[in-house]
Amino acid sequence: MTTMTPGANIPLSASRLVVEVTAPKALDVSALLLTAAGKVRSDADFVFYNQPTGPGVAHRPASAGVPDAITVDTAGVPADIDKVVVTASLDDGGAFAGTEPTATVRDAASGTVLATFTPPKLNTETALIVVEIYRRQGAWKLRAVGQGYANG
């Protein structure tokens, strides 16, 4: 298992991944499928609780003791998608100050933890890019981001 810092990246040995994001407060976790231009192709590239599936990507809602999660099957991600961005916001709409989330990335088949990432101290951010699963020279990698936005 790798503990990641902002900007760090690692190669992914698994083709199916689960990204669980936890925090002391309830979260809304989503995924965006982005092209090389950094854009979604259509609304179908937004995966969240009201639209729980997209090409190669699925949202799992939180339930008793199980956090919100995004599952990525890299073999099912369309060739024109360069990255899957996992985002989080607080369910109550507030800022992340004092509520640092942690992403745990697992091999979906075995449950083995591949990496964890907790962004550094957050303040007024209401939306956060947690991690990116991206293609690089034909291989999939994971990047720890931790970039937040105060205006959502």
Side-chain angles (χ1 to χ4, degrees):
M1 180 195 67
T2 301
T3 300
M4 300 180 77
T5 57
N9 63 62
I10 60 169
L12 291 168
S13 56
S15 62
R16 287 191 66 242
L17 308 158
V18 176
V19 181
E20 296 176 333
V21 185
T22 58
K25 294 183 178 181
L27 296 173
D28 288 328
V29 177
S30 305
L32 305 169
L33 286 77
L34 303 178
T35 64
K39 304 215 183 254
V40 295
R41 300 167 303 174
S42 72
D43 286 349
D45 289 343
F46 292 97
V47 179
F48 60 106
Y49 63 93
N50 272 347
Q51 184 167 291
T53 60
V57 180
H59 174 267
R60 180 189 74 201
S63 61
V66 178
D68 256 16
I70 297 294
T71 299
V72 178
D73 181 353
T74 58
V77 174
D80 60 338
I81 296 298
D82 276 6
K83 71 175 80 166
V84 177
V85 177
V86 178
T87 67
S89 59
L90 291 171
D91 192 44
D92 67 9
F96 274 103
T99 313
E100 281 69 39
T102 295
T104 302
V105 181
R106 300 177 188 277
D107 177 328
S110 68
T112 301
V113 175
L114 304 174
T116 61
F117 171 60
T118 301
K121 188 175 180 181
L122 301 168
N123 292 300
T124 60
E125 297 87 352
T126 59
L128 181 67
I129 297 173
V130 184
V131 297
E132 298 174 341
I133 297 167
Y134 67 99
R135 250 188 260 262
R136 180 71 154 196
Q137 298 175 341
W140 287 95
K141 292 185 158 196
L142 174 72
R143 177 180 295 124
V145 180
Q147 172 80 38
Y149 301 90
N151 62 0

